[in-house]
């Protein structure tokens, strides 16, 4: 893999991992529109590690507070807002874990066509636009309860359908529950951490048992490029939605979905 290929893939993954536009759709489409071969499992692992490093670095203070408070709550020493938020992240992660284990083979073999991507981009893009326009509220993540977390977690399981966007569907669910834009985005970003850890862990296991040769230089480029683009994406996205909202991403999803239907319909 040459450096241009590695940097472009990492840049796209780092941006789209947290934008509500579907990272899986973009990574699937890059080989479709170019002559580049599939990047392989090892490079996918590198991209996930870069995104994970970015979100952990950005929310490092919140994560330390959540971890300490959660640990105290497990030991029966009281529960505060940080502990509850940590518990809600765990609750919201359970549905996607169960659905991923049950339908992994179907997802990887039968749900990766351009038309399914178009369906996910358009349908869930329209739902995001509706939620941002009609149901945007004033709740912060501190007001979340276990029912909210479960609903957001069930919505996240839909992101197993390519084109849906994990960040997009979780933000949509949070907006429909009355959370403000920033709260919806922050909880979605925090929720990405266990998902990326689990997905990356599974990929690392598959990589170790497959004995595939690893291009370490491409891996390093992928980790660094993905981390930088993901970190910048998180920062500027939170500023952007506070001022403008989700509608530009909705328009982008509709245009991309329409282009896929035109090309492959």
């Amino acid at each position: 893999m040459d450096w241009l290929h590695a940097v472009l893939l990492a840049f796209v993954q780092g941006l789209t991992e947290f934008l509500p536009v579907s990272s899986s759709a973009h990574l699937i489409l890059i080989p479709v529109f170019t002559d580049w071969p599939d990047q392989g499992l090892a490079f996918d692992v590198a991209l996930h590690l870069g995104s994970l490093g970015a979100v952990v670095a950005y929310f490092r203070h919140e994560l330390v507070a959540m971890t300490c408070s959660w640990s105290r709550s497990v030991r029966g020493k009281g529960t505060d807002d940080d502990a509850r938020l940590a518990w809600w992240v765990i609750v919201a992660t359970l549905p996607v874990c169960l659905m991923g284990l049950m339908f992994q083979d179907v997802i990887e073999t039968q749900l990766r066509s351009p038309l399914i991507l178009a369906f996910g981009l358009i349908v869930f893009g329209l739902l995001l636009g509706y939620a941002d326009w009609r149901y945007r509220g004033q709740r912060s993540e501190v007001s979340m309860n276990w029912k909210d977390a479960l609903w957001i977690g069930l919505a996240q399981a839909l992101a197993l359908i390519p084109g849906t966007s994990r960040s997009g569907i979780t933000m949509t669910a949070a907006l429909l529950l009355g959370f403000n834009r920033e709260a919806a985005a922050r909880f979605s970003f925090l929720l990405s951490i266990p998902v990326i850890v689990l997905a990356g862990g599974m990929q690392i296991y598959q990589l170790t048992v497959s004995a595939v040769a690893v291009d370490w230089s491409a891996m390093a480029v992928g980790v660094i490029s993905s981390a930088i683009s993901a970190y910048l994406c998180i920062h500027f996205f939170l500023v952007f939605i506070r001022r403008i909202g989700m509608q530009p991403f909705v328009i982008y999803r509709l245009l991309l979905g329409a282009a896929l239907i035109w090309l492959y319909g």
Side-chain angles (χ1 to χ4, degrees):
M1 179 183 295
D2 60 50
W3 279 46
L4 176 61
H5 186 183
V7 170
L8 178 60
L9 283 173
F11 180 77
V12 169
Q13 198 276 341
L15 283 180
T16 58
E17 179 70 39
F18 299 110
L19 293 180
V21 295
S22 179
S23 61
S24 62
H26 287 77
L27 291 178
I28 290 171
L29 289 174
I30 286 178
V32 172
F33 291 121
T34 67
D35 294 327
W36 289 336
D38 184 87
Q39 61 268 21
L41 182 61
F43 196 72
D44 283 345
V45 171
L47 298 184
H48 279 97
L49 290 176
S51 296
L52 178 63
V55 70
V56 169
Y58 194 89
F59 291 101
R60 59 191 181 279
H61 300 301
E62 292 88 342
L63 290 171
V64 169
M66 289 167 60
T67 301
C68 293
S69 294
W70 180 83
S71 178
R72 287 194 296 270
S73 74
V74 170
R75 299 196 305 269
K77 295 184 177 181
T79 302
D80 59 11
D81 291 338
D82 289 321
R84 279 188 287 272
L85 187 57
W87 280 113
W88 303 153
V89 168
I90 294 172
V91 169
T93 302
L94 295 177
V96 74
C97 293
L98 295 175
M99 296 295 287
L101 290 173
M102 292 172 60
F103 299 106
Q104 180 182 2
D105 293 338
V106 174
I107 294 164
E108 292 182 349
T109 58
Q110 300 180 30
L111 296 180
R112 295 176 68 87
S113 75
L115 291 180
I116 290 178
L117 291 177
F119 169 84
L121 287 165
I122 292 173
V123 171
F124 294 107
L126 289 172
L127 185 59
L128 172 63
Y130 176 72
D132 186 55
W133 168 70
R134 177 66 178 83
Y135 281 95
R136 186 174 71 254
Q138 298 302 319
R139 297 177 64 190
S140 71
E141 60 268 40
V142 174
S143 69
M144 185 173 293
N145 56 49
W146 71 268
K147 291 181 181 179
D148 297 324
L150 183 59
W151 278 115
I152 294 172
L154 291 171
Q156 181 174 234
L158 293 174
L160 294 170
I161 303 172
T164 302
S165 171
R166 189 210 61 80
S167 60
I169 196 63
T170 51
M171 291 180 204
T172 298
L175 290 170
L176 290 172
L177 290 167
F179 291 90
N180 62 51
R181 289 167 175 163
E182 294 109 303
R186 284 194 298 267
F187 188 72
S188 176
F189 294 154
L190 291 172
L191 197 53
S192 72
I193 295 173
V195 172
I196 295 174
V197 168
L198 292 170
M202 184 176 295
Q203 288 180 327
I204 290 172
Y205 171 75
Q206 294 172 349
L207 184 62
T208 56
V209 299
S210 64
V212 176
V214 175
D215 184 347
W216 293 107
S217 61
M219 290 270 284
V221 170
V223 170
I224 296 170
S225 301
S226 177
I228 293 172
S229 60
Y231 190 94
L232 293 174
C233 172
I234 294 171
H235 175 75
F236 288 109
F237 178 74
L238 289 172
V239 175
F240 184 89
I241 60 171
R242 187 182 306 123
R243 298 177 179 177
I244 300 176
M246 303 288 186
Q247 301 308 319
F249 303 104
V250 174
I251 295 170
Y252 174 80
R253 290 176 66 118
L254 296 180
L255 292 175
L256 181 58
L260 291 175
I261 293 174
W262 179 69
L263 289 171
Y264 297 98

